[in-house]
Amino acid sequence: MLIAGYLMYLANPMLVMYNEGGRSSGALGNPNGLGMFCFLFFLLYFVIRHYFPTLFSKRENIVIFALIISSLLWSGSRGQSLSVLIFLITQYLSKRNQIVGLVLSAFLGIMLVSIDLDIVAIAQALGFEEYLRVDTLDAGGGRVVAREFAWEQIQKNFWVGRGFSYTEWIYRQNYWELSLRGHEGNAHNAFLTVWLDTGLIGLLLFIIGWGFLFFKAAKNSYMALPIAFALITSNMVESWLVASLNPFTIQVLMILTLLIYIVKDKPAGPVLKANPKATAPFPVLRS
């Protein structure tokens, strides 16, 4: 998928370049879509490489890592770049001490949300003002407008919502008004989308369902909570987790399948050895 984006660029740059050449949409058709794919593919690759370090050669690791990072930066997706950073920080802390890592990660998240940092000045000092598109930071790239509108609509159907795909419908009905205020697209927040569609009851069930899966995964792997932190960050700026038939949610389910059923940091019982005759990269467990 990522290689296809580069091949399309070589064939005709206009096929992939967005906003007069400022960002790439790759083979996903949208820069944020490319950013989300890179973020989730990075999580999947990181988990596989950690638990199966001999699966890829050194050259393959370099190529895969270079493709993911270069495509992520090329997409110019700030939210997904931050999500990758959150994951790297939280998994580093959790690897050393899961409880301490969880507390420090929560503190870091609260600090980033609550402290008023001069992001524009920091970006300009580091030379990242073009990549971070500091001219749109105050407006949140239209996301602040989207959230304010979503919250207004939520008050009308607080508990049960108006049904699936209501968010798409209501934003489409108010397209011109919102576009004049700098908004494009949908609610840009998975939790607000679920709340709009199914009400607070649906939102709680949504969180409980995913939380139960990550709780099971956390019993086997220290990576479960860092991944959960990163996914929350990503879905605070996009709504991809709400949909199941996309190239994003399926990668989360693949990661959870690995963490719940395939790998374990510290096996509680006797160590199960891989079948030396097996050709698959995963251990063959015998009962």
Side-chain angles (χ1 to χ4, degrees):
M1 185 69 74
L2 299 181
I3 291 174
Y6 283 100
L7 294 178
M8 291 170 66
Y9 175 80
L10 294 175
N12 184 352
M14 296 304 295
L15 292 174
V16 299
M17 298 313 291
Y18 176 83
N19 194 22
E20 299 181 355
R23 304 169 65 191
S24 171
S25 60
L28 276 294
N30 181 282
N32 289 328
L34 177 60
M36 290 184 287
F37 184 87
C38 291
F39 160 62
L40 290 159
F41 188 41
F42 178 81
L43 294 183
L44 180 61
Y45 166 69
F46 195 99
V47 170
I48 293 175
R49 184 174 180 271
H50 176 78
Y51 288 104
F52 306 98
T54 61
L55 189 60
F56 302 110
S57 67
K58 183 177 180 180
R59 181 176 299 178
E60 288 171 336
N61 281 317
I62 293 174
V63 170
I64 295 172
F65 183 78
L67 274 172
I68 296 173
I69 299 302
S70 63
S71 297
L72 178 62
L73 296 176
W74 202 21
S75 74
S77 178
R78 299 173 297 200
Q80 308 313 310
S81 298
L82 177 62
S83 299
V84 170
L85 183 62
I86 290 293
F87 168 71
L88 291 174
I89 293 174
T90 53
Q91 74 85 25
Y92 176 83
L93 295 173
S94 297
K95 187 175 183 179
R96 276 134 188 84
N97 189 300
Q98 195 164 9
I99 301 300
V100 174
L102 176 62
V103 173
L104 291 178
S105 299
F107 174 77
L108 175 64
I110 294 172
M111 183 183 69
L112 289 173
V113 172
S114 60
I115 296 180
D116 185 18
L117 297 175
D118 192 347
I119 301 297
V120 174
I122 294 174
Q124 290 174 342
L126 296 175
F128 293 152
E129 63 269 25
E130 184 175 351
Y131 176 75
L132 293 176
R133 306 191 303 283
V134 296
D135 57 318
T136 66
L137 283 174
D138 290 338
R143 287 180 170 83
V144 172
V145 174
R147 291 168 185 169
E148 290 177 350
F149 179 76
W151 186 245
E152 292 174 3
Q153 299 301 316
I154 285 172
Q155 307 311 308
K156 300 176 182 179
N157 297 277
F158 192 84
W159 294 101
V160 295
R162 292 289 296 274
F164 295 117
S165 297
Y166 173 71
T167 302
E168 298 176 13
W169 181 84
I170 193 65
Y171 274 86
R172 192 161 52 243
Q173 294 298 309
N174 294 270
Y175 172 79
W176 292 111
E177 175 189 347
L178 293 171
S179 63
L180 291 174
R181 297 168 61 189
H183 169 265
E184 293 181 6
N186 212 308
H188 291 293
N189 186 304
F191 306 102
L192 290 178
T193 299
V194 175
W195 202 338
L196 265 171
D197 288 353
T198 62
L200 181 60
I201 295 173
L203 176 62
L204 292 176
L205 293 174
F206 178 79
I207 294 173
I208 290 171
W210 282 106
F212 176 74
L213 291 176
F214 277 99
F215 176 75
K216 290 185 66 176
K219 294 180 178 179
N220 292 342
S221 172
Y222 78 93
M223 285 192 186
L225 293 180
I227 290 173
F229 271 108
L231 291 178
I232 291 171
T233 303
S234 176
N235 279 275
M236 290 296 289
V237 295
E238 297 293 349
S239 302
W240 58 264
L241 193 61
V242 177
S244 57
L245 297 178
N246 60 40
F248 315 121
T249 307
I250 186 63
Q251 293 192 67
V252 179
L253 296 176
M254 292 168 69
I255 293 170
L256 284 169
T257 300
L258 282 168
L259 298 184
I260 295 174
Y261 298 108
I262 306 296
V263 302
K264 181 173 289 190
D265 288 338
K266 295 180 180 179
V271 177
L272 298 174
K273 297 181 179 180
N275 184 350
K277 297 181 180 180
T279 57
F282 302 127
V284 177
L285 306 181
R286 298 183 180 276
S287 58

